[in-house]
Amino acid sequence: MCGIVGVIGTVNTKEMLIDGLKKLEYRGYDSAGVFINGNQGSHLVKEVGKIAKLEDAISNEVGGTMGIGHTRWATHGKPTVENAHPHFSSDERFYLVHNGVITNYEQLKETYLSGIEFASQTDTEVVVQLVSYFANQGMTTLEAFKQTISLLEGSYAFALADKENPEQIFVAKNKSPLLLGIGEDFNALCSDAMAMINYTNQFVELHDGEIVILEADNYEIYDQSGVAIERSPYEVDLDPKEISKGTYDYYMLKEIDEQPGVIRRISEFYLSDEQVNLDEDLLNKMATAKQIYIVAAGTSYHAGLVGKRIIEELTDIPVNVELASEFGYHLPKLIDESFFIFLSQSGETADSRQVLVKINEMNLPSLTVTNVKDSTLWREATYQMQLLAGPEIAVASTKAYVAQIAVQAVIAKVLGDHLNNATAKQLDLREELSLAANGIQAIVDQKDDIEKLSYEFFTNQNHAFYIGRGMDYALCLEAALKLKEISYIHTEGFAAGELKHGTISLIEDKTPVIAYLNDQNTTGLTRGNIEEVQARGAHVLVISNQDDAQSDDQIVCFTINELLQPLISVVPAQLLAYYASLQRGNDVDQPRSLAKSVTVE
Ligand code: M6R
């Protein structure tokens, strides 16, 4: 989703902006732009497409001591140069980049800006025109910015530049993520720390409603009522090397390959020989819960479906898994002993965040399990746990999914032990995670075979199905999402027994049906469902495990404890999707229309 960078100081602003925008590419975007200002004049450059194109379009003469930049993921208006940010006021004095959505922009346009000719179709342009409108009434830039903000409804992270004042950048935040980066010869702002990690590891968090005046050697933060806030930087522990692609063509394959290491890291960190590394307060609070809710979106929701089964089996506490975008607006009756787990790779998903805000208002306890320490969901929850997957750059989530399952297993095991649950006591989770890491490794070592299967099954196909039962059904939902989001093959994840209630009519000659066979109670039934689709011409690929395999199953995974089997069994689906996308010539890491960090509802 949209990304923002800004830099002010005695540094190579242009280079830092472009580098920062490249680091934000992973979030997903369709156009980009920069505004650079300084003694040698000001420059606005915008392009549709990749940052490399923007870089080419910026002439060597462009330079300055301050600049703001943006990657846009279209919400209002098509991806065009006119709609790309920065947007500017008609008098070309103010330039603005924005992440978020202003919901009352049409009303504001009508009330204040009826005489203005607009250059774009965006909500953002209304904001910058309003700043100019109020400045033309005699307000200072800060006053005009504040006055504009007081009228806005919706979400925003803003960086505003005044061409007449290259010494300051005006910044504001509400619901959309934004950080300040503090350097030796500069200060910066960015949507996430990754954008500036090559230049500084010192960052300052911003809270909703705050406004900042950013200068080369100073930053002033004000809350909604204008009171100055003192806030020191914190150190971000992110190794720039971790965000490099290395020898891989795509981050997705690198991240799939990293999964055994992620599982071992989680095991070592949370379940080391000497002690269990889980917050005592968190454990006590969860032990009193009578109902756990897991709230998430997309892949994280699918990981939650697996987590539900693990937590229920090991703790006997009932768990509901909820789609964040639905749950927040249709809350059921909640009992006081409810406990909320927010699962999110990015820690910034707006759908999940709106639920957390409501949960906090009700004073209910929450735990955020995320890959990004200090992200919004991290900061705003009662308790926090890190996924420890390392930065995940590809839009298609892979290693974060397995990390989410592994961390939920840690929670379930430790809580179950604490509650004296017999199943938990019997489970040697360290051993199972070690087996899982080996099992994942065995699958990634077979990637050449899986590549061939991917070509055999998906070439010239526009529809596909994943089928399975029990935990395999949860796995099917994730496997289908992986395939459709990057290959653009329409794919459904289906409960195997449900096909015959309608969907089987879609099975035609050669329709790919991938069947998961890990659920020991229903293996025979699912084998029967395979026969049914084969009888209608389906081309069937079976992913099973050593215990349940038949001789003609194409992919056989190591068998581990049934509760943890998805850790291994998901990997063939990730690889099948990767190669299907590659074969179609798609941009595997940045599929069309998608964003890594979904910061609008
Ligand atoms: O950052 P989150 O885990 O909260 O993101 C939720 C979804 O947008 C995300 O899981 C999405 O479905 C994946 N990128 C798909 O691979």
Side-chain angles (χ1 to χ4, degrees):
M1 218 134 264
C2 302
I4 291 181
V5 286
V7 179
I8 184 159
T10 51
V11 284
N12 188 336
T13 319
K14 178 172 67 177
E15 190 184 292
M16 284 175 73
L17 286 178
I18 293 294
D19 187 47
L21 290 177
K22 282 184 178 166
K23 295 284 179 312
L24 293 178
E25 278 190 303
Y26 80 99
R27 295 166 72 93
Y29 69 107
D30 41 56
S31 54
V34 292
F35 172 74
I36 297 176
N37 196 11
N39 294 337
Q40 304 139 358
S42 63
H43 314 266
L44 173 72
V45 189
K46 309 203 268 186
E47 281 291 336
V48 172
K50 295 289 176 195
I51 305 294
K53 205 168 151 205
L54 177 74
E55 197 175 4
D56 289 346
I58 302 177
S59 69
N60 289 339
E61 293 79 59
V62 172
T65 48
M66 72 86 76
I68 53 177
H70 189 267
T71 49
R72 173 174 188 254
W73 186 83
T75 56
H76 295 70
K78 292 198 163 129
T80 59
V81 169
E82 291 73 29
N83 288 335
H85 301 216
H87 288 286
F88 49 94
S89 53
S90 300
D91 57 6
E92 296 183 27
R93 177 177 163 192
F94 297 104
Y95 293 77
L96 183 78
V97 291
H98 170 210
N99 177 7
V101 175
I102 303 303
T103 47
N104 62 337
Y105 78 106
E106 273 170 340
Q107 211 180 310
L108 293 170
K109 200 169 166 177
E110 238 175 75
T111 314
Y112 296 94
L113 305 168
S114 51
I116 303 278
E117 202 171 315
F118 278 75
S120 77
Q121 301 154 299
T122 64
D123 51 341
T124 308
E125 190 184 348
V126 172
V127 180
V128 73
Q129 298 284 17
L130 271 176
V131 173
S132 164
Y133 170 85
F134 291 120
N136 285 331
Q137 291 187 347
M139 291 187 193
T140 64
T141 302
L142 182 61
E143 285 164 354
F145 190 42
K146 279 185 178 167
Q147 178 62 25
T148 301
I149 282 168
S150 72
L151 301 172
L152 303 180
E153 286 167 18
S155 56
Y156 54 79
F158 288 133
L160 172 76
D162 175 352
K163 192 153 82 174
E164 293 173 7
N165 173 13
E167 310 298 321
Q168 295 179 320
I169 300 177
F170 301 89
V171 176
K173 175 202 179 313
N174 188 44
K175 295 188 188 164
S176 298
L178 198 61
L179 296 172
L180 304 181
I182 309 302
E184 293 227 328
D185 311 316
F186 71 93
N187 282 324
L189 59 104
C190 46
S191 299
D192 69 51
M194 234 183 264
M196 282 293 138
I197 199 68
N198 279 341
Y199 305 97
T200 180
N201 63 358
Q202 299 295 310
F203 290 86
V204 177
E205 65 180 47
L206 297 178
H207 298 175
D208 284 351
E210 290 179 343
I211 290 184
V212 182
I213 303 172
L214 192 68
E215 298 173 347
D217 53 5
N218 190 34
Y219 59 92
E220 290 167 27
I221 305 176
Y222 297 95
D223 74 6
Q224 245 154 350
S225 39
V227 176
I229 309 279
E230 289 291 320
R231 194 170 300 135
S232 311
Y234 64 92
E235 194 174 309
V236 168
D237 179 21
L238 189 63
D239 181 353
K241 277 197 234 93
E242 277 196 287
I243 48 180
S244 116
K245 232 180 334 197
T247 55
Y248 286 85
D249 289 335
Y250 287 102
Y251 281 106
M252 185 178 174
L253 194 59
K254 173 174 180 267
E255 290 161 5
I256 290 172
D257 280 356
E258 283 169 356
Q259 293 178 115
V262 170
I263 299 296
R264 291 191 186 104
R265 195 182 312 148
I266 288 170
S267 181
E268 273 157 34
F269 182 81
Y270 287 113
L271 304 168
S272 75
D273 276 336
E274 302 81 45
Q275 58 171 64
V276 169
N277 193 358
L278 207 75
D279 186 318
E280 198 61 32
D281 279 355
L282 164 64
L283 198 56
N284 291 332
K285 184 49 100 180
M286 286 192 82
T288 62
K290 294 211 164 53
Q291 174 71 54
I292 292 175
Y293 289 95
I294 297 176
V295 180
T299 288
S300 299
Y301 171 77
H302 299 153
L305 294 173
V306 176
K308 167 188 163 73
R309 169 89 195 280
I310 305 175
I311 297 172
E312 286 185 340
E313 289 277 333
L314 301 190
T315 68
D316 287 328
I317 303 174
V319 180
N320 277 12
V321 191
E322 305 287 351
L323 283 172
S325 55
E326 285 294 313
F327 188 67
Y329 295 101
H330 310 94
L331 283 179
K333 273 253 159 296
L334 296 172
I335 53 170
D336 286 347
E337 298 88 353
S338 299
F339 187 92
F340 283 80
I341 299 178
F342 289 84
L343 279 186
S344 173
Q345 188 286 130
S346 63
E348 298 294 352
T349 299
D351 287 323
S352 299
R353 203 242 168 163
Q354 53 87 13
V355 182
L356 179 54
V357 169
K358 292 184 178 118
I359 293 313
N360 283 342
E361 280 164 8
M362 289 185 250
N363 282 322
L364 290 168
S366 56
L367 160 70
T368 287
V369 179
T370 180
N371 208 22
V372 185
K373 195 163 170 273
D374 301 309
S375 56
T376 306
L377 290 171
W378 173 283
R379 289 197 309 266
E380 296 182 358
T382 326
Y383 304 99
Q384 298 78 19
M385 283 175 80
Q386 232 187 318
L387 287 174
L388 304 171
E392 189 181 70
I393 310 287
V395 163
S397 186
T398 53
K399 62 178 180 171
Y401 172 82
V402 297
Q404 283 168 335
I405 294 175
V407 172
Q408 289 179 98
V410 168
I411 297 169
K413 161 74 181 158
V414 179
L415 182 58
D417 280 348
H418 183 80
L419 295 170
N420 275 322
N421 176 290
T423 318
K425 294 257 173 215
Q426 274 162 22
L427 176 72
D428 184 345
L429 185 58
R430 288 194 64 193
E431 172 64 11
E432 291 296 334
L433 290 178
S434 163
L435 293 173
N438 295 342
I440 296 173
Q441 190 61 55
I443 295 293
V444 299
D445 288 346
Q446 294 168 47
K447 54 167 83 77
D448 291 348
D449 297 335
I450 295 177
E451 179 176 7
K452 286 187 199 124
L453 286 170
S454 181
Y455 294 167
E456 179 191 332
F457 276 80
F458 300 128
T459 304
N460 299 327
Q461 295 298 332
N462 292 321
H463 303 277
F465 291 89
Y466 271 91
I467 60 168
R469 290 168 184 251
M471 292 255 269
D472 284 343
Y473 172 41
L475 205 46
C476 285
L477 296 177
E478 173 56 12
L481 175 59
K482 275 307 77 94
L483 184 60
K484 70 183 125 184
E485 71 179 323
I486 59 171
S487 73
Y488 317 143
I489 296 170
H490 165 235
T491 316
E492 299 283 348
F494 243 82
E498 192 63 16
L499 271 186
K500 59 185 176 295
H501 296 291
T503 310
I504 200 164
S505 64
L506 295 174
I507 304 291
E508 294 177 340
D509 196 30
K510 299 208 172 42
T511 304
V513 175
I514 303 107
Y516 269 115
L517 270 159
N518 298 303
D519 186 69
Q520 280 151 18
N521 294 329
T522 57
T523 312
L525 290 172
T526 307
R527 292 259 179 221
N529 300 136
I530 291 174
E531 301 277 342
E532 288 157 13
V533 293
Q534 269 171 335
R536 286 154 183 85
H539 192 192
V540 176
L541 192 166
V542 175
I543 306 174
S544 60
N545 66 81
Q546 291 154 323
D547 283 4
D548 298 307
Q550 286 187 356
S551 58
D552 50 356
D553 292 353
Q554 294 94 329
I555 302 176
V556 179
C557 302
F558 282 9
T559 306
I560 55 170
N561 184 299
E562 194 190 4
L563 293 173
L564 297 159
Q565 189 67 44
L567 287 174
I568 305 177
S569 302
V570 73
V571 182
Q574 297 169 342
L575 287 165
L576 286 167
Y578 174 81
Y579 289 114
S581 173
L582 204 61
Q583 191 204 17
R584 287 169 179 237
N586 299 346
D587 183 339
V588 178
D589 286 339
Q590 288 166 24
R592 69 184 181 205
S593 307
L594 292 182
K596 185 69 182 163
S597 189
V598 185
T599 51
V600 294
E601 281 185 49

